[in-house]
Amino acid sequence: MPRLAQTFLARFDQAPEGVWSAPGRVNLIGEHTDYNGGLALPIALPHRTRCAASVRDDDLLQIHSLQEDSFVEVRIYDVAAGHPAGWTAYVAGVLWALRKAGYAVRGLNVVVDGQVPLGAGLSSSAALECSVAAAASDLFGLGLLDSAEGRSVLAAACQRAENDIAGAPTGGMDQAAAMHATEKHALRLDCRDGATTQVPFDLSAHDLALLVTDTRASHALADGQYGARRDSCEKAADILGVEFLRDIDPAALDEALVQLPDDVLRRRTRHVVTEIARVDEVVDALRDGDLAEVGRLFLASHASLRDDYEVSCTELDLVVDTAVGEGALGARMTGGGFGGSAIALVAVADVERVSAAIAAAFAAAQLTAPKSFSVTAAGPAARD
Ligand code: ADP
Ligand code: MG
């Protein structure tokens, strides 16, 4: 019996009614664009979080994770901002959000087992939320996994859990990827209206691999900086008289920039507007099979995030510079920045060599050893 079912049986004295899982994600391009009403292009990772669950007769949630040494019990009606605190907020918050959205949900026994590295910018939080949402949809007969509309409802509930209960002010990209991304495709996500489009993404046909490097760095200033970037974007949009920076036509960027009062606002705006344009340039290049162009766009994105948006860091720059020095077609930081992960587009035959070079560069710089692994575009939240 798998470890998850075994733990469930030992904990609750019964087998789970089922196991559901949801993937982590990596964003190919379109960084810091979600809160600007822009575009992003995530893929779902083969790394998944599994949730074994059974319905209870009362309103209690009993929650255990194989990654955390804690067992938490909370009543659905007591869930509120900051309660429960810690990792169980991501689980309880989903049930709370579904109830708020008008769905009849009751208590659950839950054990989770996550393969997505925690806090690496690969969205273990959304994988956790979405695995629980998938379980709740099936166990309470909500049928929300069966249609794209239903999946959007689940994604929205997961985002509310993260924003309102766990208190993390993130956009909706992670949950959309976990609910909508499909195998061998990237998900073009329009963050203004939530529209999704599947874009073929099968690098093996080009003898290429997507190498993810978890830098294992997480810089303390990340939280405040995220808020500061959002504030700058809102301020710039306000001055330019648009709802979102998405509304600035890239062809009219220079005219917009001269209206902004300082260099910081100009650089933040330039990143957002050019980054949104790059998403569709990558989509076109993927459809044309022009992977060299995808690599160039990755590099342009990284330079923009490093120089104009100022969210990169030593570790992320080192991955990108080393990968490119070893012949990668392109590389960039992915996720919010200040640590987390980077991606590189690498020939399959070069994966080992590039990974080793990155590890050697980190060792030479006396940084914590990073973890590199190649990934393919995997499928969305589902019953296992
Ligand atoms: P990321 O989503 O990039 O991994 P976050 O900070 O958004 O980083 O989410 C990480 C948090 O999600 C962890 O600190 C923990 O609270 C929670 N989490 C994710 N997966 C699990 C898991 N399998 N078990 C317990 N907590 C988890
Ligand atoms: Mg997260």
Side-chain angles (χ1 to χ4, degrees):
M1 190 187 289
R3 191 166 70 126
L4 178 60
Q6 225 168 44
T7 308
F8 193 99
L9 186 62
R11 172 69 68 183
F12 297 112
D13 220 15
Q14 53 162 197
E17 284 178 68
V19 175
W20 291 261
S21 69
R25 63 97 189 95
V26 73
N27 191 23
L28 297 180
I29 197 157
E31 220 64 77
H32 286 278
T33 54
D34 54 357
Y35 51 85
N36 288 296
L39 303 171
L41 193 67
I43 61 167
L45 293 176
H47 306 66
R48 300 177 77 85
T49 296
R50 298 203 146 66
C51 166
S54 287
V55 175
R56 296 175 57 94
D57 293 331
D58 54 21
D59 297 309
L60 277 182
L61 295 168
Q62 295 204 326
I63 316 169
H64 177 70
S65 162
L66 296 185
Q67 281 68 50
E68 298 278 343
D69 196 19
S70 62
F71 178 71
V72 172
E73 191 176 274
V74 59
R75 286 187 39 173
I76 290 195
Y77 295 104
D78 294 339
V79 178
H83 180 81
W87 71 271
T88 50
Y90 297 97
V91 177
V94 172
L95 278 300
W96 168 88
L98 285 171
R99 209 169 59 77
K100 278 260 172 203
Y103 294 97
V105 301
R106 287 178 290 124
L108 285 180
N109 289 336
V110 170
V111 179
V112 295
D113 186 10
Q115 295 173 340
V116 186
L118 269 57
L122 302 175
S123 201
S124 69
S125 58
L128 174 57
E129 292 148 13
C130 292
S131 70
V132 172
S137 176
D138 278 356
L139 288 173
F140 298 118
L142 310 182
L144 294 169
L145 287 171
D146 303 339
S147 67
E149 295 73 27
R151 284 174 172 268
S152 294
V153 169
L154 292 175
C158 291
Q159 191 191 345
R160 270 200 90 177
E162 183 141 354
N163 294 163
D164 296 358
I165 305 303
T170 53
M173 173 185 32
D174 303 350
Q175 295 81 6
M179 279 294 165
H180 293 286
T182 60
E183 229 177 294
K184 295 190 177 173
H185 289 85
L187 186 77
R188 180 189 183 275
L189 176 66
D190 186 326
C191 301
R192 164 163 261 168
D193 59 9
T196 58
T197 315
Q198 304 290 340
V199 180
F201 184 73
D202 184 8
L203 293 179
S204 63
H206 300 271
D207 290 325
L208 290 172
L210 189 71
L211 186 70
V212 175
T213 299
D214 172 5
T215 64
R216 303 180 68 205
S218 144
H219 296 285
L221 70 170
D223 283 356
Q225 294 288 346
Y226 182 86
R229 294 301 178 284
R230 280 187 86 135
D231 290 347
S232 293
C233 291
E234 277 168 28
K235 196 168 162 195
D238 215 37
I239 294 169
L240 296 170
V242 292
E243 186 188 4
F244 289 117
L245 289 180
R246 166 81 180 273
D247 296 318
I248 304 298
D249 180 355
L253 177 59
D254 287 343
E255 292 139 57
L257 293 182
V258 295
Q259 296 175 52
L260 295 172
D262 65 75
D263 190 47
V264 170
L265 284 190
R266 281 192 285 272
R267 285 187 289 125
R268 304 298 187 248
T269 301
R270 185 166 57 198
H271 165 70
V272 172
V273 174
T274 59
E275 182 77 355
I276 292 170
R278 277 188 290 271
V279 174
D280 271 339
E281 287 165 24
V282 166
V283 168
D284 289 344
L286 285 174
R287 290 199 168 122
D288 294 345
D290 186 352
L291 277 297
E293 176 67 3
V294 173
R296 283 190 289 274
L297 290 160
F298 277 14
L299 284 172
S301 170
H302 186 75
S304 178
L305 287 156
R306 182 190 60 209
D307 302 335
D308 276 349
Y309 220 62
E310 296 181 282
V311 291
S312 190
C313 62
T314 307
E315 293 86 347
L316 290 166
D317 291 343
L318 190 56
V319 176
V320 170
D321 294 344
T322 307
V324 171
E326 293 291 321
L329 290 184
R332 58 179 290 275
M333 56 160 278
T334 182
F338 303 110
S341 296
I343 53 174
L345 201 52
V346 179
V348 170
D350 294 344
V351 164
E352 294 301 321
R353 188 168 51 75
V354 174
S355 307
I358 292 169
F362 272 59
Q366 295 186 316
L367 297 167
T368 307
K371 285 190 178 149
S372 297
F373 43 92
S374 43
V375 299
T376 50
R383 185 170 190 151
D384 274 18

